């Protein structure tokens, strides 16, 4: 073990990220000195805060090819998704009641859609292929004259798969349907451009891009077309009336700084992450067999590696690598005792969903950490396979799918 | 979720991992659970022909740490017991010993089921033979 290695290791960067020290630095004065209310128009405290907010708006806009004026600050992507979906549904209800999304969206998209279904909307949940992708053709076929919104995530949080946003955006544009994307995982990690991709609404959150928790944004297109939304909350009419509430200035400054950094670092970071991820994958597979890659082999987030370790249960695996923070699609780790619906949707059998581990590499991941994780994973898998009745049967040449299990 | 020290101990130092020959008439094998459910437990007992006591026990488990610990503990408890005594091992005792939280109770249930299945297997194999002097009712 290298002397510089600090345990535990955080390798769960799809769940959240460490706030970059440069981001923290930028935020600090807005807690202590520049604590004005950005809506105070008549004194310098307010002006300083407002100026900081407007500059953050520009920083966020620049990262996604939008103008700062099109950025609405929210409390995070859950709110952004709710605002986009319910806000559009409510505003355009007269035009139609049909929404199209995918079966592998985050709950912050699926659950607002389910609520709308209870309120009389119709929602199409497009299935995905074995890599987790929807095709633009599927979207085109699902659009009816009642469709008002298509919501497709930019990158999946579990398996990292990227969606063909530009092609979907072009179809939506041609058919006069609004296009929303939950780009939480993609922004700052892969190129995202609302113009090139025909995106009308885009959700992002600061804590996934090395910014603070509790701060997000919704991009709302202002022209071609001008998108309108019904607000979720009534109040002071902040953020063009779409999101009332005193602006969380320190967080907003943090999001702005995080976006600017991400824009500067994205390309070099991508190269670094791809190298580290390859090292991790190669290191593990060099010594262990029966490992499946979940998600797309190429079109995926550079920091995401989702593997199924056959014959080994995910939570037990996490216990074996307890100095490493990762996550699993196993039912044993979830409150619902259901395996990951994303893995189910891409046709990974339940038994392999239980065996999945998501490694989320990030800006602060080091080569020494990767090497440590490789050793831990190999040790844990060997330990657990030694204990696994499934592995034993597999070695005896028994096809597990033909066994009549005594389900309980 | 934090694991109890006992769960961790069984996880890192599992007792009695392994397999006996299923075909051995003195061996009873119980396999419960299913891979799709995320847990499969195989528990085996070997009976001493002369004493009728469980002289050895082994397990293999695919499941979470609590499932592994439950089965590891079960093998420890089984050794030296009569079949009657083994039938009386309750999952609640396992829960208590390992300090399992409510979401992990089913892992202990699986261990109890595996014990019963192993005993039943042994008895079925030895129906009418001397090894089962007094056949037990197996109620699950
Ligand atoms: C794809 C996706 N959408 C939405 C969210 C929710 O974001 P937030 O935590 O900012 O509400 C997350 C993260 O948890 C996510 O991964
Ligand atoms: S085996 Fe799934 S929770 Fe224990």
């Amino acid at each position: 073990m290298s002397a510089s290695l600090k345990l535990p290791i955080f390798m769960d960067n799809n769940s959240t990220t460490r706030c970059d020290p440069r981001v923290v630095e930028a935020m600090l004065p807005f807690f202590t000195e520049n604590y004005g209310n950005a809506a105070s128009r008549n004194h310098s405290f307010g002006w300083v805060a407002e100026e900081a907010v407007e500059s953050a708006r520009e920083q966020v806009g620049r990262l996604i090819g939008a103008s700062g004026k099109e950025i609405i600050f929210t409390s995070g992507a859950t709110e952004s998704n709710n605002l986009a979906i319910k806000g559009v549904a409510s505003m355009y209800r007269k035009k139609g009641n049909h929404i199209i999304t995918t079966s592998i969206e985050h709950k912050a998209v699926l659950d607002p859609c389910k609520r709308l279904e209870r309120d009389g909307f119709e929602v199409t949940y497009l299935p995905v292929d074995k890599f987790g992708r929807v095709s633009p053709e599927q979207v085109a076929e699902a659009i009816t004259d009642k469709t008002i919104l298509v919501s497709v995530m930019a990158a999946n949080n579990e398996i990292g798969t990227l969606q063909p946003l530009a092609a979907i955006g072009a179809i939506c544009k041609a058919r006069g349907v609004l296009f929303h994307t939950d780009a939480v995982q993609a922004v700052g990690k892969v190129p995202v451009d609302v113009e090139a991709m025909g995106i009308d609404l885009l959700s992002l959150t600061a804590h996934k891009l090395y910014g603070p928790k509790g701060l997000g944004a919704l991009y709302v297109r202002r022209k071609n077309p001008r998108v309108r939304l019904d607000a979720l909350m009534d109040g002071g009419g902040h953020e063009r009336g779409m999101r009332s509430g005193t602006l969380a200035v320190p967080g907003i400054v943090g999001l702005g700084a995080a976006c600017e950094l991400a824009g500067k670092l994205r390309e070099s970071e991508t190269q670094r992450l791809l190298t580290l991820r390859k090292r991790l994958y190669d290191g593990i597979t060099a010594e262990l067999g029966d490992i499946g890659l979940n998600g797309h082999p190429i079109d995926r987030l550079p920091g995401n590696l989702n593997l199924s370790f056959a014959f080994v249960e995910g939570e037990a695996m996490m216990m074996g690598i307890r100095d490493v923070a990762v996550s699993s699609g196993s039912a044993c780790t979830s409150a619902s005792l259901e395996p990951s619906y994303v893995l189910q949707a891409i046709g990974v059998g339940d038994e392999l969903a239980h065996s999945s581990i998501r490694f989320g590499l990030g800006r602060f991941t080091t080569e020494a950490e990767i090497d440590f994780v490789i050793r831990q994973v190999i040790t844990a898998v060997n330990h657990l396979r030694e204990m696994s009745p499934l592995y034993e049967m597999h070695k005896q040449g028994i096809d597990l799918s033909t066994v009549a299990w005594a389900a309980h | 979720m934090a694991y109890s020290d006992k769960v961790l101990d069984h996880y890192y130092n599992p007792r009695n991992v392994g397999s006996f020959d299923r075909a051995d008439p003195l061996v009873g094998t119980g396999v419960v659970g299913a891979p799709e459910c995320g847990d499969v437990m195989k528990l085996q007992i070997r009976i001493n022909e002369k004493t009728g006591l469980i002289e050895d026990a082994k397990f293999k488990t695919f499941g979470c740490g609590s499932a592994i610990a439950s089965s590891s503990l079960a093998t420890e408890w089984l050794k030296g017991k009569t079949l009657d005594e083994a039938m009386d091992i309750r999952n609640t005792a396992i829960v208590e010993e390992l300090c399992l939280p409510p979401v992990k109770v089913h892992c202990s249930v699986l261990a109890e089921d595996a014990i019963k299945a192993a005993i039943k297997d042994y008895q079925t194999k030895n129906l009418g033979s001397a090894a089962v002097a007094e056949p037990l009712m197996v109620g699950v």
Side-chain angles (χ1 to χ4, degrees):
Chain A
M1 197 203 300
S2 106
S4 63
L5 203 59
K6 206 170 138 258
L7 300 178
I9 291 167
F10 187 73
M11 205 163 276
D12 199 14
N13 282 281
N14 297 104
S15 75
T16 193
T17 56
R18 171 181 165 188
C19 204
D20 192 296
R22 290 162 284 193
V23 171
V24 176
E25 196 66 29
M27 290 170 69
L28 288 178
F30 293 89
F31 290 102
T32 51
E33 289 155 41
N34 308 325
Y35 48 81
N37 185 327
S40 297
R41 288 279 154 76
N42 301 306
H43 53 66
S44 62
F45 291 89
W47 302 331
V48 171
E50 192 194 4
E51 198 181 296
V53 166
E54 293 319 309
S55 127
R57 229 185 267 290
E58 292 303 322
Q59 287 169 313
V60 177
R62 213 171 294 131
L63 185 60
I64 57 170
S67 129
K69 293 193 185 71
E70 298 171 302
I71 303 300
I72 305 292
F73 291 115
T74 66
S75 64
T78 299
E79 185 186 339
S80 299
N81 286 339
N82 271 270
L83 178 57
I85 294 166
K86 294 178 189 164
V88 163
S90 166
M91 180 61 79
Y92 294 87
R93 177 152 208 166
K94 282 200 197 71
K95 207 173 152 226
N97 70 338
H98 181 225
I99 293 170
I100 298 168
T101 187
T102 79
S103 58
I104 62 164
E105 298 294 311
H106 192 269
K107 292 284 180 194
V109 165
L110 294 177
D111 286 1
C113 286
K114 290 207 189 99
R115 180 174 296 278
L116 290 174
E117 281 183 293
R118 294 198 289 276
D119 294 344
F121 280 83
E122 273 175 41
V123 180
T124 301
Y125 301 92
L126 295 174
V128 293
D129 67 14
K130 63 178 178 178
F131 299 123
R133 286 216 290 200
V134 286
S135 69
E137 293 74 29
Q138 277 174 285
V139 175
E141 280 163 24
I143 293 177
T144 70
D145 54 4
K146 291 263 180 289
T147 310
I148 52 174
L149 180 70
V150 169
S151 179
V152 175
M153 71 197 323
N156 183 268
N157 44 302
E158 288 188 37
I159 54 175
T161 299
L162 307 176
Q163 300 293 353
L165 292 189
I168 295 172
I171 287 165
C172 292
K173 188 120 298 182
R175 305 282 291 270
V177 175
L178 293 178
F179 179 34
H180 166 250
T181 184
D182 173 348
V184 161
Q185 296 284 343
V187 165
K189 319 285 169 64
V190 292
V192 175
D193 186 301
V194 294
E195 288 309 324
M197 295 173 166
I199 296 163
D200 299 313
L201 298 126
L202 178 149
S203 303
L204 60 89
T205 192
H207 75 95
K208 306 269 188 187
L209 70 153
Y210 312 99
K213 290 169 183 56
L215 211 292
L218 179 65
Y219 156 79
V220 184
R221 180 176 284 282
R222 267 164 67 98
K223 49 178 194 289
N224 310 315
R226 181 182 182 85
V227 177
R228 295 181 309 138
L229 294 179
D230 261 343
L232 299 177
M233 298 183 295
D234 299 311
H238 307 73
E239 301 296 275
R240 295 160 54 200
M242 294 190 217
R243 207 282 187 171
S244 288
T246 298
L247 293 177
V249 181
I252 289 170
V253 169
L255 173 60
C259 285
E260 175 151 354
L261 260 181
K264 280 194 192 125
L265 301 178
R266 192 182 57 73
E267 277 176 37
S268 59
E269 213 158 83
T270 297
Q271 286 318 310
R272 209 180 70 84
L273 287 173
L274 289 176
T275 307
L276 287 178
R277 186 177 73 187
K278 183 171 187 311
R279 189 180 181 92
L280 179 60
Y281 182 79
D282 290 351
I284 291 172
T285 52
E287 293 201 32
L288 295 173
D290 298 300
I291 290 174
L293 173 70
N294 301 315
H296 199 282
I298 299 154
D299 291 325
R300 71 189 296 144
L301 292 171
N304 173 286
L305 185 64
N306 190 316
L307 301 177
S308 282
F309 297 88
F311 321 119
V312 168
E313 191 280 321
E315 186 183 323
M317 178 72 186
M318 285 168 69
M319 203 163 156
I321 54 172
R322 64 179 159 166
D323 291 322
V324 185
V326 293
S327 78
S328 169
S330 157
C332 303
T333 60
S334 80
S336 66
L337 292 179
E338 283 290 323
S340 149
Y341 64 90
V342 174
L343 295 178
Q344 287 180 321
I346 61 173
V348 171
D350 278 0
E351 70 280 11
L352 283 177
H354 288 293
S355 302
S356 72
I357 296 286
R358 177 184 72 182
F359 301 90
L361 285 59
R363 181 174 296 169
F364 303 104
T365 305
T366 66
E367 201 173 275
E369 287 179 340
I370 294 285
D371 291 345
F372 180 84
V373 172
I374 293 170
R375 297 315 322 162
Q376 288 248 308
V377 166
I378 292 168
T379 308
V381 171
N382 283 331
H383 175 67
L384 289 166
R385 283 185 175 168
E386 203 47 52
M387 271 193 266
S388 168
L390 303 181
Y391 188 57
E392 183 180 65
M393 294 168 88
H394 169 73
K395 278 192 307 186
Q396 290 163 351
I398 299 172
D399 179 355
L400 296 175
S401 63
T402 63
V403 176
W405 299 101
H408 60 294
Chain B
M1 179 185 351
Y3 301 98
S4 70
D5 289 344
K6 283 179 182 159
V7 169
L8 288 172
D9 181 41
H10 279 283
Y11 176 91
Y12 286 104
N13 310 295
R15 328 290 198 257
N16 310 307
V17 174
S19 301
F20 298 131
D21 178 8
R22 262 174 186 260
D24 183 339
L26 293 174
V27 168
T29 302
V31 181
V32 294
E36 303 80 51
C37 306
D39 38 37
V40 175
M41 221 176 252
K42 186 184 82 169
L43 199 140
Q44 295 183 298
I45 50 174
R46 196 172 62 212
I47 311 303
N48 182 303
E49 219 168 345
K50 297 201 184 75
T51 62
L53 299 180
I54 298 172
E55 64 175 11
D56 205 356
K58 290 206 181 296
F59 84 94
K60 286 210 169 189
T61 291
F62 164 79
C64 73
S66 304
I68 290 170
S70 296
S71 39
S72 169
L73 177 66
T75 57
E76 274 194 321
W77 281 358
L78 284 168
K79 288 195 209 179
K81 283 203 166 49
T82 65
L83 293 181
D84 275 335
E85 288 165 347
M87 279 305 278
D88 279 341
I89 295 176
R90 288 286 168 270
N91 82 291
T92 45
I94 297 174
V95 169
E96 209 167 298
E97 173 68 16
L98 296 175
C99 311
L100 299 182
V103 290
K104 297 296 179 184
V105 168
H106 74 273
C107 315
S108 69
V109 171
L110 209 60
E112 184 185 319
D113 290 351
I115 294 172
K116 295 205 157 72
I119 295 172
K120 190 174 174 179
D121 177 59
Y122 171 77
Q123 290 174 332
T124 313
K125 270 190 197 167
N126 291 281
L127 267 185
S129 84
V132 190
E134 307 160 57
L136 287 166
M137 284 301 295
V138 181
V140 181

